[in-house]
Amino acid sequence: MIPKRAFWFAVGAAAGVVGARRAESELQARREQLTPANLAKGAAGKLTSAAAGAPGKVGGAVKGRVKARSAGPAGAQPWDERDWSGAQRR
């Protein structure tokens, strides 16, 4: 009975050591990712990609507004009767 307990104690202790080392390496990797320099690089990259796509987004929004205004008063007016049934018109 004692050898079984000693065996399982040793297995548990080994698993604990392995788990602690793995957790420490994961934490070290996260610490390296979250340094101020790396955060600044990530923010700069996202900002430049957003700025690069902005002209197309703005141009599309302007074209959509121009198209909607040129269509005339065909859109719903605040005083128009509304359909509250939940059915969508096509």
Side-chain angles (χ1 to χ4, degrees), residues 2-84:
I2 296 287
K4 277 186 181 179
R5 288 183 184 171
F7 171 76
W8 287 114
F9 177 79
V11 169
V17 168
V18 170
R21 285 187 180 169
R22 181 162 182 202
E24 181 60 33
S25 67
E26 290 287 330
L27 287 173
Q28 183 63 30
R30 293 287 181 190
R31 276 189 225 118
E32 290 172 4
Q33 288 176 354
L34 296 176
T35 60
N38 285 340
L39 290 175
K41 286 179 188 176
K46 287 184 181 184
L47 184 62
T48 54
S49 65
K57 290 180 181 177
V58 171
V62 169
K63 288 178 185 176
R65 285 189 152 205
V66 168
K67 185 177 178 183
R69 285 188 180 174
S70 66
Q77 298 296 328
W79 54 83
D80 287 347
E81 188 175 334
R82 295 184 184 206
D83 180 17
W84 296 99

